[in-house]
Amino acid sequence: MRLTVIGSAAGGGFPQWNCNYRLSRGARDGEANFRARTQSSLAASANGHDWVLFNASPDIRQQIAVTPELQPRADGPLRSTPIRAVILTNADVDHIAGLLSLREREPFTIYATRRVLDVLESNSIFNVLDREIVHRRELPVGKSTDILDAQGNPVGITVETFAVPGKVALFLEDKSKASEGFGTKEGDTIGLRIASNDGATAFYIPGCAGIDAPLRERLSGADCLFFDGTVYTDDEMITAGVGTKTGARMGHMYISGEGGSLAALADLGIRKRIYVHINNTNPILDAASPEHAAVVAAGWKIAFDGMEVRL
């Protein structure tokens, strides 16, 4: 199975269009220790020809333009795509807005929980994706699903869905229910176990507010994990002076310290550990920073656009 990180940043990308914090400024100025990154998405294929996208970021056109595997074949018909399905892990804008760029009547299948499908259903702009061409299929939480293309043919990939601690998408928050997670419901945030027919497996969890005992047990001994690397410290957006929300308030756990993901996932025997969905305030984006060095020393890789993993 081939897995390609086509977008490694959190919402807004890196550098973010309106951000003048030192990290975004360094990336914008072309400093050698920074890589520009687009918004969060992963591509997977069991055969190198049929591809599944995990989340559709607002940068999807750019991501396809720099990823030959996702482009029409040179000897193919006048219009075509190797993208057979798009799987959504939540309804965040940076994970669903890219669907609108896939509206040119190419057949593929959208997979999501019932909760996320209802979000698409309630917003008529997604009707630009013709239902007779782009099918929508439910991913039941807690079950495995063989991924099919729009014609009903298997693409060689199976996903198992499981609930992870998270939060309802920002634009769906009900502030009157702040003490109840702003209206968060089952199916708002999921993790995925991705498996190919040859037995290769990987976990994809780009959004996660905490690691509990069942999640640790699930991830123990995994071949590969792509995990939420949004913030290094819970209050980094506040200390950077660019926002008022903590990582927890946004539905993301932090990396460092006793309560961070670096420690929580340290002793589980996971062979490949990769941070994705990295916010523009996270110092691990600076390859010369001590935070970057600490993450690498702990055995993690920091995802970048175009990063490929073969299992």
Side-chain angles (χ1 to χ4, degrees):
M1 180 165 60
R2 293 174 60 186
L3 298 154
T4 301
V5 178
I6 62 172
S8 51
F14 181 69
Q16 183 171 295
W17 69 279
N18 67 337
C19 186
N20 202 32
Y21 182 56
R22 63 177 184 85
L23 301 178
S24 285
R25 188 169 63 250
R28 194 174 290 115
D29 290 344
E31 294 181 18
N33 46 320
F34 295 104
R35 290 176 185 254
R37 289 166 162 88
T38 59
Q39 294 169 88
S40 172
S41 186
L42 180 73
S45 178
N47 56 22
H49 304 292
D50 301 308
W51 288 85
V52 177
L53 300 188
F54 295 87
N55 296 319
S57 94
D59 300 319
I60 194 167
R61 181 190 173 280
Q62 177 184 347
Q63 292 165 343
I64 292 172
V66 297
T67 310
E69 296 85 353
L70 301 181
Q71 300 167 9
R73 296 194 326 267
D75 60 349
L78 290 177
R79 296 221 172 169
S80 64
T81 179
I83 298 170
R84 307 302 182 210
V86 177
I87 299 174
L88 306 174
T89 61
N90 60 25
D92 285 351
V93 168
D94 50 312
H95 285 164
I96 66 173
L99 292 172
L100 302 178
S101 295
L102 302 179
R103 64 186 181 274
E104 282 86 6
R105 301 183 64 80
E106 288 299 328
F108 66 94
T109 305
I110 298 170
Y111 284 90
T113 64
R114 172 46 51 195
R115 168 69 162 160
V116 173
L117 289 177
D118 287 345
V119 172
L120 301 184
E121 182 73 30
S122 66
N123 193 326
S124 61
I125 195 170
F126 291 102
N127 291 339
V128 298
L129 298 160
D130 189 329
R131 299 290 193 91
E132 294 186 4
I133 298 172
V134 179
H135 299 164
R136 301 180 187 183
R137 296 192 174 117
E138 182 177 354
L139 280 180
V141 178
K143 296 185 178 180
S144 293
T145 301
D146 293 330
I147 302 305
L148 309 177
D149 66 16
Q151 288 75 39
N153 302 311
V155 300
I157 285 178
T158 298
V159 297
E160 178 188 354
T161 64
F162 49 93
V164 296
K167 185 185 71 64
V168 65
L170 176 62
F171 67 95
L172 296 173
E173 285 187 357
D174 183 345
K175 290 184 172 54
S176 70
K177 298 180 179 179
S179 63
E180 306 167 32
F182 297 92
T184 298
K185 298 179 180 179
E186 180 180 345
D188 273 322
T189 305
I190 58 170
L192 299 171
R193 180 181 181 270
I194 307 166
S196 62
N197 289 343
D198 62 3
T201 61
F203 285 89
Y204 185 55
I205 311 174
C208 186
I211 298 172
D212 54 18
L215 183 56
R216 280 175 50 86
E217 182 178 356
R218 184 185 297 274
L219 297 178
S220 180
D223 291 331
C224 181
L225 169 65
F226 297 89
F227 193 78
D228 185 349
T230 305
V231 292
Y232 193 76
T233 57
D234 192 43
D235 64 349
E236 74 180 38
M237 289 185 63
I238 299 170
T239 58
V242 301
T244 60
K245 293 180 180 178
T246 63
R249 170 65 180 84
M250 297 186 294
H252 299 282
M253 74 179 300
Y254 51 92
I255 292 173
S256 63
E258 288 186 12
S261 59
L262 203 66
L265 298 170
D267 58 349
L268 299 184
I270 302 169
R271 285 177 277 283
K272 295 180 186 290
R273 292 169 290 170
I274 303 163
Y275 278 122
V276 294
H277 196 275
I278 306 165
N279 195 57
N280 58 76
T281 54
N282 192 327
I284 68 173
L285 292 171
D286 181 353
S289 70
E291 294 87 355
H292 184 284
V295 166
V296 172
W300 285 76
K301 294 185 182 297
I302 299 166
F304 56 86
D305 291 15
M307 180 185 201
E308 185 171 303
V309 175
R310 292 177 180 252
L311 299 173

